[in-house]
Amino acid sequence: MQEEEPVVNGKGWTMLKHEDTSDQTKVVGLAEAVERYGRKRSHGADIMMEGVEPTTPEFETNTPPRKKARPTHLPQISTLNAAAPPSPLPSPHGTPPPQTIWPSAPPSGASSPQPHAPLQPDLSLTALLTLPSLLSHFTNLPQQLQSHYLLTLLRHSPLPVLRTLHSVLTPTLARDFLTLLPPELVSQVLGFLPYSTLARASRVSKSWRAIIDSDPLLWRDLLKNTKIWFGGDTERNFAHSIYARRKLEAPSIPQTLPLPHPYKTLFKSRHLTRLRWIQNENPRHHSFPAHGSSVVTCLLFSHGRIISASDDHSIHVYSPITGELLQALDGHEGGVWALAASKDTLVSGSTDRTVRIWNLATGKCTHIFGGHTSTVRCLAIVKPELIDIESENGTITREKWPKRSVIVTGSRDHSLRVWTLPRPGDPEYRCYGADDTEADPADEDADENPYHRMHLEGHDHAVRALAARGRTLVSGSYDCTVRIWDIVTGDCKWILVGHTQKVYSVVLDITRNLACSGSMDGTVRVWNLRTGQCQHTLTGHTSLVGLLGLSPSHLVSAAADSTLRVWDPETGELQSTLAGHTGAITCFQHDEFKVLSGSDGTLKMWNVRDGTVVRDLLTGISGVWQVVFEGRWCVAASNRNLATVLDVWDFGTDEDDDWVGEPPGGVYDDDTDEEDEEEMDKGEQADVDAMDQDLEIDPSDASLESEEMPQVEGETPADETDSDRPPVRDDEPMEPMAGVGASRWATAAPPRTAGHQRSRALLVGESSRRGGTGPPAAGVPARLPANNETPTRPRIRPAGRSRR
């Protein structure tokens, strides 16, 4: 019996005999197994991430190599198991690159293996195609599930994706709190920021720029916190000037952003004034000759022009940038001792006893006024201004006076005159003798001049100085008195007595109802315009106080004792004494930050608050005639080597083109009478006409007054005096007559009736009307102190002389 051969087998395989095939399952060949494996990979690619094969633990890269098996037949592969075996050996460098496979591609029917792997689709494109459906499903989810879904995605997102998401979400979730908060809270929040931070914040966006620039409370508080809010009407007048200037320049201003509030412009102006004048130690400076070797008697800086007058009878207009002579205004036959400018209109007074009106745009003399019988020593332009008027029942209303700009002139003939300021285009007028060298303009009958308003008489000596605002006129005379006039009615409201020698200078503050005067007696007196009493007598100077200046916080006096003194105008307290010059002070100007003063040899700059010297602008010169500054510009007229020179300094930089300066005394002329007339209603215009009729003097009344006027004791006929001879040049120190005029108030006037508009209520104690010699005010002595100098008498027209 033959022994049965044992079955050869092993773990997972069994060797079959050729005859034992009937009960076995179908055996799959090697080629067919490989074909099935490729088909399975093609169908399963849509569930794998970009074709990466899943791995099993036994086929990981760190599995130790197997022991080499003996060569045997491959085991049978069952067709019941459709899953393809895993890849036997993964790539030693990691996951193989993905293969592009189209999920819907049918399995290849070829029985032989393909030479290359089938193409696989781009999953990013597939995701983009399916994005609308995913977005639709996401939007249909509740918010809680949406949040959960997004958080899940964020947790599985790499850092670059999170950074991109942050850059998108940050501006989306940001909130502009300045545009959301109420304006009051915005002002409170921004009020804690310094100026430098506000400047940077205004560049964040257009909305922030508009909010910051247009907030008046913000800039008002900033002005106060930085101690450059001066009070009074200075800020309101500046704001009104800016609005008037914008109204004229409106067509040329692009409307890309809203214009800033004037208080911001004012803050920048004062900030630059305080900063540049002190820190800019090397401002741009140039000098040029002017007027030969003659004395510069008056100096103005008006609308970017330098206007100088001299005792050589000439008036010159220069460019501050180049020093070029723009215009030479010739016509006066005597030295020019008084100047005032308003826009393109210039008014001059001379020793030839005439007042001339010039058009600065054309350089033509359009009007010549005669009537004064001696040198026109001082003048001022008074523009319409809102002022407080007290009615008879004690009610105070704000009214605009005068209704039209006027000129006030003071002369050595002891009188003052009020004229209407001609507007451009008004009929020209030339007084008697203006075109005839043999005739005398003093023979002019001023009542025949349509521009003449009134003749203010009362002083017993030459009128040396005057100041005017609104309806109030202050005049100082060599008769040792100061008079307060109403330039609308001509009433002399007060005769202020107290000085013991000639009065050389006066200033006026209508906001505080104060007037100040400086005299040869070495004192400065502060007068109350409501009561007519002397509030303070400021002593300390040892000689003539020839110059006075008044700002909201400081009263500055300059004397021939080579010192300047700074006072508190309300209390009369001496704040500081500016001592450093070696000769009499010939000129000065000041504001709330600095004082510029000239004397023999030097032009100095002082700190007005502590009285210290900042620097010397000029040294080693013969003398300084005049000095004036505004904004970034400073101009001085001096004498060097027997020649007159104008020096110009520019304290601004290239970034300060929009630096808007404040004129001397806070007097602006950016508004026009033409605009005022257009804004008036019919009732207001009727009141203006009625006022003009009241101011016109009937010729019969004028002659009656001249007949009734008593003759001054000791007066001699004109033929026996020296008035026919050329006037003697006044060599006394001059005060700069810069920037005369008046500004209007920034706020609108309250409603008022016609009766209030015609109000003629005066303060108690008025003494005379139209120069009459009524009883003097209370406290005026019967006999005035004696003067050592013989008075200059008014010239009287001969009885039989007629006009040609």
Side-chain angles (χ1 to χ4, degrees):
M1 182 174 172
Q2 187 177 1
E3 186 177 359
E4 183 177 1
E5 184 179 355
V7 178
V8 180
N9 58 10
K11 186 178 180 180
W13 63 275
T14 303
M15 180 178 291
L16 299 178
K17 296 181 178 180
H18 294 282
E19 61 271 13
D20 296 340
T21 58
S22 57
D23 298 333
Q24 299 296 328
T25 59
K26 184 179 179 180
V27 178
V28 180
L30 177 61
E32 186 176 357
V34 173
E35 180 69 16
R36 288 185 180 182
Y37 176 72
R39 293 175 186 174
K40 184 63 178 176
R41 287 193 63 181
S42 299
H43 286 290
D46 56 337
I47 62 174
M48 299 180 186
M49 294 184 62
E50 300 185 0
V52 179
E53 301 176 9
T55 59
T56 56
E58 54 267 21
F59 290 99
E60 292 179 353
T61 57
N62 57 357
T63 304
R66 284 183 172 186
K67 185 177 181 180
K68 186 175 180 180
R70 287 176 295 178
T72 56
H73 295 285
L74 293 175
Q76 297 181 357
I77 300 175
S78 175
T79 59
L80 297 178
N81 185 12
S87 177
L89 292 175
S91 171
H93 299 290
T95 305
Q99 303 291 332
T100 55
I101 302 176
W102 292 99
S104 59
S108 174
S111 60
S112 62
Q114 299 296 326
H116 300 287
L119 297 177
Q120 298 181 4
D122 189 356
L123 288 184
S124 60
L125 179 61
T126 305
L128 288 175
L129 294 176
T130 59
L131 184 60
S133 61
L134 293 177
L135 182 62
S136 176
H137 289 302
F138 177 78
T139 54
N140 292 330
L141 292 176
Q143 290 187 359
Q144 294 181 348
L145 290 180
Q146 288 181 352
S147 301
H148 177 72
Y149 181 67
L150 290 177
L151 290 175
T152 303
L153 293 179
L154 293 177
R155 292 191 186 100
H156 292 78
S157 298
L159 185 59
V161 175
L162 294 178
R163 289 173 178 168
T164 303
L165 185 63
H166 179 268
S167 65
V168 175
L169 290 179
T170 299
T172 304
L173 298 178
R175 288 293 179 267
D176 190 350
F177 71 98
L178 288 185
T179 59
L180 298 177
L181 291 176
E184 296 80 6
L185 292 181
V186 172
S187 295
Q188 291 288 336
V189 172
L190 296 178
F192 290 96
L193 302 180
Y195 168 69
S196 57
T197 305
L198 285 177
R200 290 195 296 268
S202 64
R203 296 194 292 267
V204 170
S205 64
K206 290 184 177 181
S207 59
W208 281 33
R209 175 71 174 269
I211 291 173
I212 293 174
D213 285 4
S214 61
D215 190 347
L217 298 179
L218 171 65
W219 295 104
R220 183 201 63 183
D221 293 342
L222 196 59
L223 284 165
K224 292 183 177 180
N225 294 336
T226 54
K227 297 184 180 0
I228 54 176
W229 176 274
F230 304 149
D233 291 332
T234 56
E235 289 79 15
R236 184 160 41 181
N237 290 342
F238 183 92
H240 176 79
S241 172
I242 295 298
Y243 285 134
R245 186 177 306 180
R246 290 175 181 174
K247 188 175 182 179
L248 296 176
E249 300 174 353
S252 62
I253 297 179
Q255 299 297 327
T256 55
L257 284 173
L259 295 174
H261 192 274
Y263 281 177
K264 180 191 177 182
T265 307
L266 177 62
F267 178 87
K268 183 172 184 179
S269 172
R270 292 179 176 176
H271 177 74
L272 291 176
T273 300
R274 178 172 58 182
L275 190 68
R276 295 284 189 264
W277 281 74
I278 302 299
Q279 297 184 357
N280 189 357
E281 298 182 357
N282 297 306
R284 288 188 285 263
H285 171 233
H286 64 98
S287 59
F288 49 91
H291 299 284
S293 60
S294 301
V295 176
V296 174
T297 56
C298 304
L299 187 64
L300 300 180
F301 188 87
S302 174
H303 293 277
R305 294 170 294 210
I306 301 172
I307 307 173
S308 62
S310 173
D311 63 352
D312 64 359
H313 310 177
S314 66
I315 302 173
H316 289 174
V317 181
Y318 298 94
S319 167
I321 300 175
T322 64
E324 177 188 0
L325 177 61
L326 303 178
Q327 292 171 341
L329 310 180
D330 298 322
H332 278 296
E333 298 179 0
V336 180
W337 286 92
L339 275 186
S342 175
K343 288 187 175 292
D344 288 336
T345 301
L346 178 69
V347 183
S348 61
S350 169
T351 58
D352 63 9
R353 296 163 288 218
T354 64
V355 178
R356 290 180 177 252
I357 314 297
W358 309 83
N359 187 331
L360 293 176
T362 62
K364 180 182 179 182
C365 179
T366 57
H367 301 76
I368 303 176
F369 297 160
H372 282 297
T373 59
S374 188
T375 299
V376 178
R377 193 61 181 80
C378 49
L379 63 84
I381 296 176
V382 189
K383 304 201 70 175
E385 183 174 358
L386 283 172
I387 57 175
D388 292 334
I389 299 295
E390 185 176 358
S391 61
E392 296 179 355
N393 58 4
T395 304
I396 297 178
T397 58
R398 295 187 65 80
E399 302 178 11
K400 185 169 67 175
W401 293 101
K403 297 300 182 180
R404 180 172 172 175
S405 298
V406 298
I407 307 168
V408 181
T409 57
S411 171
R412 299 180 70 179
D413 64 6
H414 308 180
S415 68
L416 302 100
R417 291 183 182 269
V418 181
W419 323 76
T420 298
L421 178 66
R423 295 170 177 163
D426 282 354
E428 297 185 6
Y429 180 84
R430 305 177 75 85
C431 68
Y432 170 73
D435 302 317
D436 188 352
T437 56
E438 296 181 359
D440 191 350
D443 294 337
E444 163 81 3
D445 187 359
D447 292 335
E448 297 181 7
N449 184 345
Y451 296 99
H452 185 259
R453 290 299 183 188
M454 65 185 66
H455 187 200
L456 306 180
E457 297 178 290
H459 281 295
D460 295 331
H461 209 308
V463 177
R464 178 61 174 78
L466 63 84
R469 293 282 296 272
R471 296 180 59 154
T472 305
L473 167 64
V474 181
S475 61
S477 171
Y478 286 169
D479 64 7
C480 309
T481 66
V482 177
R483 288 184 176 242
I484 311 299
W485 310 82
D486 187 327
I487 60 176
V488 175
T489 63
D491 294 330
C492 179
K493 300 191 292 185
W494 297 105
I495 302 176
L496 307 178
V497 177
H499 286 296
T500 58
Q501 296 188 47
K502 299 176 185 178
V503 177
Y504 275 78
S505 55
V506 294
V507 290
L508 172 65
D509 186 348
I510 61 173
T511 304
R512 290 180 287 203
N513 278 300
L514 295 178
C516 307
S517 58
S519 170
M520 186 181 283
D521 61 13
T523 65
V524 177
R525 289 182 176 265
V526 181
W527 309 90
N528 188 316
L529 299 183
R530 293 187 181 275
T531 63
Q533 301 298 320
C534 178
Q535 287 191 175
H536 308 288
T537 300
L538 311 180
T539 60
H541 287 296
T542 58
S543 59
L544 163 68
V545 181
L547 302 172
L548 284 179
L550 184 62
S551 66
S553 305
H554 308 287
L555 169 65
V556 181
S557 59
D561 61 5
S562 72
T563 65
L564 301 96
R565 291 176 179 261
V566 183
W567 316 82
D568 186 327
E570 293 186 353
T571 64
E573 177 186 0
L574 177 63
Q575 297 176 340
S576 58
T577 301
L578 313 183
H581 289 288
T582 58
I585 309 299
T586 55
C587 59
F588 89 91
Q589 184 181 323
H590 84 284
D591 58 14
E592 291 291 299
F593 304 104
K594 59 189 176 298
V595 180
L596 266 67
S597 60
S599 179
D600 292 342
T602 59
L603 175 65
K604 291 181 176 292
M605 182 193 301
W606 312 77
N607 187 327
V608 72
R609 301 192 178 187
D610 58 17
T612 59
V613 177
V614 178
R615 67 170 64 96
D616 289 338
L617 294 178
L618 289 177
T619 57
I621 56 178
S622 301
V624 182
W625 305 125
Q626 299 291 329
V627 64
V628 65
F629 63 80
E630 179 179 337
R632 63 192 293 170
W633 298 99
C634 177
V635 185
S638 61
N639 182 270
R640 303 178 194 171
N641 300 323
L642 302 179
T644 299
V645 178
L646 289 180
D647 290 272
V648 181
W649 293 268
D650 180 6
F651 284 87
T653 63
D654 295 336
E655 301 176 355
D656 301 333
D657 292 337
D658 54 349
W659 184 350
V660 181
E662 296 180 80
V667 179
Y668 302 86
D669 61 349
D670 293 291
D671 54 337
T672 60
D673 292 331
E674 289 76 12
E675 293 174 347
D676 296 342
E677 273 193 327
E678 293 175 1
E679 295 173 356
M680 289 181 182
D681 56 21
K682 296 181 179 179
E684 289 178 322
Q685 188 61 44
D687 292 332
V688 174
D689 297 337
M691 185 201 71
D692 289 343
Q693 292 177 1
D694 291 341
L695 294 181
E696 291 292 338
I697 302 177
D698 185 76
S700 60
D701 296 339
S703 60
L704 182 61
E705 289 182 2
S706 62
E707 292 176 0
E708 296 178 351
M709 184 178 299
Q711 183 177 0
V712 180
E713 182 180 357
E715 184 172 353
T716 57
D719 294 343
E720 300 178 10
T721 64
D722 60 349
S723 57
D724 286 337
R725 294 193 295 268
V728 179
R729 192 183 83 177
D730 194 343
D731 292 330
E732 296 155 356
M734 286 288 298
E735 65 173 331
M737 298 292 294
V740 291
S743 62
R744 300 180 307 169
W745 297 77
T747 56
R752 53 187 185 273
T753 63
H756 285 157
Q757 291 172 339
R758 298 190 183 94
S759 175
R760 297 294 185 267
L762 303 176
L763 299 177
V764 179
E766 63 176 320
S767 61
S768 61
R769 180 178 178 83
R770 298 189 187 276
T773 57
V780 177
R783 299 182 62 183
L784 297 178
N787 292 313
N788 297 328
E789 182 181 345
T790 303
T792 304
R793 298 301 180 186
R795 179 173 180 177
I796 299 186
R797 185 185 304 113
R801 194 169 182 177
S802 61
R803 224 183 131 177
R804 298 180 185 178

